[in-house]
Amino acid sequence: MNDIQISTLIELTIGLASGHSEEDKFTKLLDATRKAIQCDCVGLLSLQGDTLVPLALQGVTQDTLGRRFKLSEHPRLARICESKQAVRFDADCDLPDPFDCLLIDHEGDLPIHACMGLPLRYGDALLGVLTMDSLTPNVFDNIPQRSLEALSAIMASSLKVALTVSQLEQQAKQVQQRLEELSEDNWEREGVEIVGSSPVMLALREDINVVAPSNFNILIHGETGVGKELVARSLHMLSPRRKQPLVYVNCAAIPESLLESELFGHVKGAFTGADKDRMGKFALADGGTLFLDEIGELPMSAQSKILRALQSNEIQPVGQDAVHTIDVRVLAATNRDLKQEVNQGRFRSDLFHRLTVYPIEVPPLRDRTGDIELLSGFFLEIARRKLGITRIKFTHQSLLELSNYSWPGNVRELEHVINRAALKARARCDNQNLVSVSPSDIGVLESGLSSSVPSVTDAPTDAKNQNLREATENFQRQLIVQTLSDTQYNWAKAARCLETDRANLVRLAKRLGIQVTKQHKIEM
């Protein structure tokens, strides 16, 4: 084929107007592109800062949508972005192809093949790129440059419609602010992007976009490991307070005796050890956002003081008579059912209602249909960068195993499994050009979705007559007692075995009525 037919260009234009969503429009565009140009894979990627983010892909593995391509690490993509016109790479070009090991119908290194990229520019702005790979060498050589310019213009227009200039500028600002925020000790971690396209995640993003610009205090609820901190960060970054600090507090990790000082500050001499004035978390967050993680662990005394701060916008440091006026938005997170905690007298109802003006529920990973593959690709790319691996991919069977597991530890568990698997795969594939993550690298995952929930008949006899909370507390009580016994009643060692904070473990044990005497006798 030597040219792109006029009918194909018309079909591309019609696809822009007929799609019901951005994803649908992009898919129609790629369908029409593959009809016009013979290729085995095609990708539409948006430029966000110095990184290309896939919007739609065909001919590559599903997890590729979760990957992010930094231009400094992918010279072919960088060359396309620097060009003003289509870039056709020689069949024997030695620059690594970013999709080299990701084609659906081809395992391992690609043989001699054709590769072409189109920069998508709207005015002077580069919005993204369109890439094409074909296993047939030189297949792109005879396409007229003018036809490729027409294809580029249509694709750039579609991106302009979907991603306006103002949205792109906002994204660039958010990236910069995230980088500044990552310099803070409390927030220095990777993974600031909410990855996922499942219906429940689209609904979550919609909730975030609706409530983020307001000054409402928000309660974020979800199981352990679902990404409540990431939601809090997104709410802050999309709010008018994004240029002000986001201060993190783990309520479960602060001893009860220091909670008031930690939250509201103290003056010199207020108590033993207070050798200088110290600002509390509320004061540090003045003008910005305060994120209270694990708020369900707060004792009632601290809850009342937080309520006063929310009601009057005033705080009083320990040891000081004067009060300070503050302007703080509070985001709180918990994995507990706070409504039930209120009914049982363990959480203040007035504080609960102050926090639940617009509650946000973060879905567990098992309910996020299709997101496991995207997240797997996202985390594998991060692991590749950290481990210094040039090319890494999942085998088909390994992706199946990841997708069929119920992930009781949610996104956090998935990230840890993939980091561990990438490390094992690198060691196993030492000195190989391509590292493949196999099921043996992933290890044994307990069970899939269909078998992950135990039967009622499997429950202990004494638990069948209990409600869910009583049964849960009974299990926690037995586990803590057994772990303390196994660790010779060493609280710190027991906390490490249970993968929790020592202060949190002590507080939970106290709530469950567990006491350890000096003679190492456990009383309940």
Side-chain angles (χ1 to χ4, degrees):
M1 184 203 66
N2 296 326
D3 202 353
I4 300 176
Q5 300 297 320
I6 296 296
S7 60
T8 301
L9 295 177
I10 293 174
E11 188 175 343
L12 283 168
T13 306
I14 293 173
L16 288 176
S18 61
H20 296 292
S21 64
E22 288 182 7
E23 182 180 358
D24 189 28
K25 289 179 181 178
F26 293 150
T27 300
K28 289 180 182 294
L29 287 170
L30 295 193
D31 287 340
T33 300
R34 295 186 79 179
K35 288 180 182 179
I37 301 176
Q38 178 188 344
C39 58
D40 291 284
C41 83
V42 58
L44 179 63
L45 300 93
S46 167
L47 182 65
Q48 298 183 15
D50 62 350
T51 302
L52 285 171
V53 178
L55 297 177
L57 297 166
Q58 291 184 5
V60 294
T61 56
Q62 181 68 15
D63 68 285
T64 311
L65 273 173
R67 299 193 178 220
R68 302 295 181 261
F69 300 93
K70 291 181 69 67
L71 295 181
S72 60
E73 299 173 1
H74 296 282
R76 287 204 189 203
L77 295 176
R79 183 177 294 182
I80 296 169
C81 289
E82 293 166 358
S83 176
K84 300 289 186 181
Q85 58 186 10
V87 179
R88 286 175 261 217
F89 295 92
D90 295 336
D92 58 352
C93 177
D94 59 357
L95 293 178
D97 190 320
F99 305 119
D100 201 2
C101 59
L102 300 175
L103 268 66
I104 292 176
D105 299 327
H106 188 85
E107 290 287 338
D109 289 346
L110 282 175
I112 298 297
H113 67 288
C115 176
M116 180 170 67
L118 279 63
L120 305 180
R121 297 182 179 275
Y122 194 93
D124 295 329
L126 177 67
L127 304 183
V129 300
L130 179 71
T131 65
M132 285 164 276
D133 284 91
S134 175
L135 296 177
T136 304
N138 306 315
V139 71
F140 305 133
D141 289 358
N142 296 324
I143 304 175
Q145 186 66 34
R146 189 62 178 171
S147 297
L148 294 177
E149 289 175 359
L151 178 60
S152 297
I154 292 174
M155 285 293 188
S157 296
S158 69
L159 268 185
K160 175 63 178 178
V161 171
L163 308 170
T164 65
V165 172
S166 61
Q167 288 173 324
L168 291 172
E169 290 175 348
Q170 184 182 35
Q171 289 169 352
K173 290 177 182 178
Q174 289 172 2
V175 170
Q176 181 61 36
Q177 288 165 347
R178 284 171 179 161
L179 290 174
E180 293 173 358
E181 188 180 10
L182 287 174
S183 65
E184 299 294 330
D185 291 341
N186 287 331
W187 294 96
E188 191 171 358
R189 58 174 66 90
E190 292 220 32
V192 297
E193 179 183 0
I194 297 180
V195 176
S197 58
S198 60
V200 290
M201 291 304 290
L202 294 178
L204 174 62
R205 283 199 189 94
E206 184 176 352
D207 281 341
I208 291 173
N209 290 332
V210 167
V211 76
S214 73
N215 277 321
F216 290 155
N217 300 315
I218 298 173
L219 178 66
I220 307 167
H221 181 264
E223 297 177 6
T224 298
V226 294
K228 296 187 290 293
E229 292 183 17
L230 186 56
V231 171
R233 185 194 300 272
S234 298
L235 287 165
H236 175 74
M237 297 305 298
L238 294 172
S239 76
R241 298 172 179 264
R242 57 185 172 270
K243 294 184 179 180
Q244 301 302 319
L246 171 61
V247 178
Y248 172 82
V249 179
N250 185 347
C251 299
I254 307 173
E256 185 173 348
S257 58
L258 297 178
L259 263 172
E260 187 175 355
S261 170
E262 190 73 17
L263 292 174
F264 305 109
H266 64 252
V267 297
K268 181 178 180 180
F271 50 84
T272 303
D275 54 353
K276 58 182 179 180
D277 291 354
R278 185 172 185 269
M279 294 179 67
K281 300 297 186 184
F282 269 89
L284 289 172
D286 191 20
T289 306
L290 180 66
F291 177 45
L292 299 176
D293 197 10
E294 302 292 350
I295 194 170
E297 303 295 333
L298 282 176
M300 296 291 281
S301 58
Q303 293 176 29
S304 62
K305 292 181 172 61
I306 290 176
L307 177 64
R308 177 189 172 186
L310 296 181
Q311 288 176 331
S312 62
N313 295 322
E314 292 179 343
I315 58 170
Q316 186 174 16
V318 177
Q320 187 177 89
D321 294 332
V323 297
H324 300 281
T325 301
I326 54 166
D327 174 22
V328 173
R329 182 191 196 183
V330 171
L331 307 178
T334 183
N335 57 9
R336 291 192 182 190
D337 184 348
L338 286 192
K339 190 171 184 179
Q340 188 174 18
E341 295 284 303
V342 170
N343 293 336
Q344 298 187 6
R346 287 192 286 263
F347 199 86
R348 293 182 62 106
S349 62
D350 41 11
L351 178 57
F352 171 74
H353 292 299
R354 278 273 175 181
L355 296 173
T356 53
V357 176
Y358 198 108
I360 288 183
E361 184 77 23
V362 186
L365 188 52
R366 61 181 174 273
D367 292 343
R368 297 173 55 178
T369 305
D371 283 352
I372 292 176
E373 290 180 330
L374 300 186
L375 286 164
S376 298
F378 181 79
F379 290 135
L380 190 65
E381 182 66 15
I382 292 175
R384 181 198 66 78
R385 192 175 300 126
K386 286 182 177 179
L387 297 174
I389 301 171
T390 303
R391 294 185 300 163
I392 187 170
K393 65 171 288 187
F394 292 108
T395 64
H396 177 68
Q397 187 60 38
S398 61
L399 270 179
L400 280 179
E401 292 203 7
L402 292 172
S403 298
N404 291 332
Y405 182 53
S406 59
W407 299 107
N410 292 297
V411 179
R412 183 181 300 155
E413 182 185 6
L414 173 63
E415 181 181 12
H416 292 169
V417 166
I418 289 176
N419 285 338
R420 187 165 57 247
L423 190 61
K424 289 182 177 180
R426 184 184 68 169
R428 181 175 53 79
C429 302
D430 192 28
N431 297 324
Q432 296 185 20
N433 291 329
L434 172 63
V435 176
S436 295
V437 178
S438 67
S440 63
D441 299 316
I442 293 173
V444 178
L445 300 175
E446 292 180 0
S447 60
L449 290 172
S450 60
S451 58
S452 62
V453 181
S455 165
V456 174
T457 57
D458 296 331
T461 304
D462 59 350
K464 293 178 182 177
N465 295 324
Q466 298 176 346
N467 62 35
L468 179 60
R469 179 169 192 84
E470 290 172 342
T472 301
E473 290 186 346
N474 187 44
F475 173 78
Q476 290 176 322
R477 191 178 291 110
Q478 293 176 10
L479 181 61
I480 292 172
V481 169
Q482 182 62 50
T483 306
L484 283 171
S485 177
D486 293 343
T487 57
Q488 288 75 50
Y489 308 96
N490 185 316
W491 286 98
K493 189 173 181 180
R496 287 195 296 272
C497 291
L498 295 172
E499 297 184 3
T500 187
D501 181 82
R502 181 186 183 280
N504 189 18
L505 179 62
V506 172
R507 189 175 298 134
L508 177 60
K510 181 179 179 182
R511 186 170 65 81
L512 295 173
I514 301 172
Q515 294 182 348
V516 179
T517 66
K518 292 183 179 180
Q519 292 77 29
H520 287 169
K521 179 182 177 181
I522 296 179
E523 299 177 349
M524 292 187 291

